Amino acid sequence: MNPKCRLNNSHATCLDNKQKKCHLPLQKNCKALYDYIRYVYRIKENRRSGMNKADAVGEAVEWAIKESLLNGFFKKQKAEVTGMSLTEFDEEEFKRVCREDGYEDGLADGEARKAIEDAENLLKMNILTLEQIAQATSLPLEKVRELSEEICIKA
C-alpha cells in the first residue's frame, strides 16, 4: 500500500489504494515533519505579529530549542539552522525575483521578435546587404541568412 498524503496544520489526510480517507496525526506518524511544520509556523506567526525576519527566526529557533524539537537538533545546530532559515527561502523575495525574471524574459522575447520583424522588413525592401541588416538589427548574420531564405521560399 502506497498512500497519497496531503498535509495541513497537524494532520496528514491520506488516500490509500482503495481511496479510503484517513486522518493521521503527524505527531504520531512523522514527528520530525510535525516538529518542522511547528517551527515554520512559529516563524510565520512571528512575522505576522510584526517581527522582522531575523528576529522572527531567532525567536523561533529559541522556542524550538526550549520545546526540544527534532530531538535537540535546533540546539546542536543553532547557527546553521538560523543561517539557513534566513537565507534558504524567502517567499517574498522569491516572488519578487520571479516577477522581475518574467518581466526581463518578456522584454527579451519582445526585443528578439522586433529584431526579426525589422530584419524581415529590410529583406523585403531589398536595399541592404545581409551584413548591414545583421548589424542594424543586432541579429547574428546566420539568422539573417535563414530569414532571407525563408522570404525567398515564400515569394
Side-chain angles (χ1 to χ4, degrees), residues 32-66:
L33 179 58
Y34 179 70
D35 286 352
Y36 180 73
I37 289 171
R38 290 176 60 205
Y39 167 70
V40 170
Y41 183 77
R42 184 73 175 215
I43 293 171
K44 287 182 178 186
E45 286 299 303
N46 287 344
R47 294 286 284 153
R48 281 189 204 119
S49 74
M51 286 186 184
N52 67 41
K53 187 173 181 181
D55 290 342
V57 168
E59 190 283 333
V61 169
E62 291 299 326
W63 173 81
I65 290 169
K66 187 178 127 209

Side-chain angles (χ1 to χ4, degrees), residues 8-45:
N8 66 21
N9 287 340
S10 62
H11 285 76
T13 301
C14 297
L15 293 174
D16 64 17
N17 291 339
K18 296 174 186 169
Q19 298 299 304
K20 291 181 184 175
K21 277 190 178 181
C22 59
H23 297 284
L24 305 172
L26 287 178
Q27 63 267 40
K28 289 182 182 175
N29 291 289
C30 188
K31 184 162 176 6
L33 179 58
Y34 179 70
D35 286 352
Y36 180 73
I37 289 171
R38 290 176 60 205
Y39 167 70
V40 170
Y41 183 77
R42 184 73 175 215
I43 293 171
K44 287 182 178 186
E45 286 299 303

Side-chain angles (χ1 to χ4, degrees), residues 117-133:
E117 182 182 314
D118 290 345
E120 287 172 340
N121 289 335
L122 291 169
L123 286 164
K124 288 173 186 174
M125 293 171 67
N126 201 25
I127 57 173
L128 297 174
T129 66
L130 298 180
E131 290 80 7
Q132 290 170 322
I133 293 172

